[in-house]
Amino acid sequence: MTDQAPRPEGDIPGKPTAASRTTLSHIMTGSDTNLLGTVHGGVIMKLVDDAAGAVAGRHSGGPAVTASMDEMVFLEPVRVGDLVHVRAQVNWTGRSSMEVGVRVMAERWNESTPASQVGSAYLVFAAVDADGRPRRVPPVIPETERDNRRYQEAQIRRTHRLARRRAIKELREKRAADGIED
């Protein structure tokens, strides 16, 4: 279902998307608020990182560390008393890295109305060994058309991350060569 490159013989077998998908739920309390009385964005970001880290560790079969966070989007404020559900899954894998997509949903703790999306993010994790060195991860195997779309979109985001990193490095090298200090 994907255009994923074939892996060499004897390589780590792939894992389906559903194998590591998870949801972390948490009721927001007064200690989670900012000065405006809504839930602090940093609290939501911590939940996002926690859920994504669990998914990355489950998929890779061991420790994984956050390498970057892309496109953390806050769509609606979260309030005290909201039951927040953070849904995460591996969208794409490389040699030792994984992109994890996260959707943040919220609903009132005491109402039976459907949860609405309040945020989303993409994080990149690197699988590491006991010495903190990169280690191989299993390829992710998309199971649905939605998973396949997420895999393809993740490849585009990866291309953009690498191009941005390269462009910044080249700019800094040029400025240093021109004697411009930052």
Side-chain angles (χ1 to χ4, degrees), residues 76-151:
E76 298 285 335
V78 177
R79 302 173 291 156
V80 170
D82 280 351
L83 177 57
V84 172
H85 308 285
V86 183
R87 300 179 180 151
Q89 76 172 49
V90 173
N91 290 335
W92 174 91
T93 54
R95 185 173 180 84
S96 62
S97 63
M98 301 158 275
E99 184 195 89
V100 178
V102 180
R103 177 172 292 176
V104 183
M105 308 293 289
E107 61 183 306
R108 293 306 293 167
W109 70 275
N110 61 345
E111 297 175 8
S112 59
T113 55
S116 60
Q117 185 173 355
V118 295
S120 65
Y122 300 102
L123 296 88
V124 176
F125 280 79
V128 294
D129 64 18
D131 297 320
R133 290 187 302 261
R135 63 180 174 80
R136 297 292 307 264
V137 299
V140 66
I141 303 168
E143 300 173 280
T144 66
E145 283 304 316
R146 177 181 281 181
D147 293 342
N148 194 48
R149 174 187 54 79
R150 289 177 177 163
Y151 181 89

Side-chain angles (χ1 to χ4, degrees), residues 25-37:
S25 297
H26 189 77
I27 294 178
M28 298 291 106
T29 65
S31 64
D32 299 320
T33 60
N34 59 27
L35 296 175
L36 299 175

Side-chain angles (χ1 to χ4, degrees), residues 25-90:
S25 297
H26 189 77
I27 294 178
M28 298 291 106
T29 65
S31 64
D32 299 320
T33 60
N34 59 27
L35 296 175
L36 299 175
T38 57
V39 172
H40 194 288
V43 170
I44 300 299
M45 291 174 73
K46 168 93 167 70
L47 294 172
V48 164
D49 192 45
D50 287 347
V55 166
R58 291 170 79 170
H59 182 83
S60 69
V65 296
T66 311
S68 69
M69 178 184 270
D70 289 353
E71 300 179 35
M72 180 72 217
V73 177
F74 298 99
L75 302 170
E76 298 285 335
V78 177
R79 302 173 291 156
V80 170
D82 280 351
L83 177 57
V84 172
H85 308 285
V86 183
R87 300 179 180 151
Q89 76 172 49
V90 173

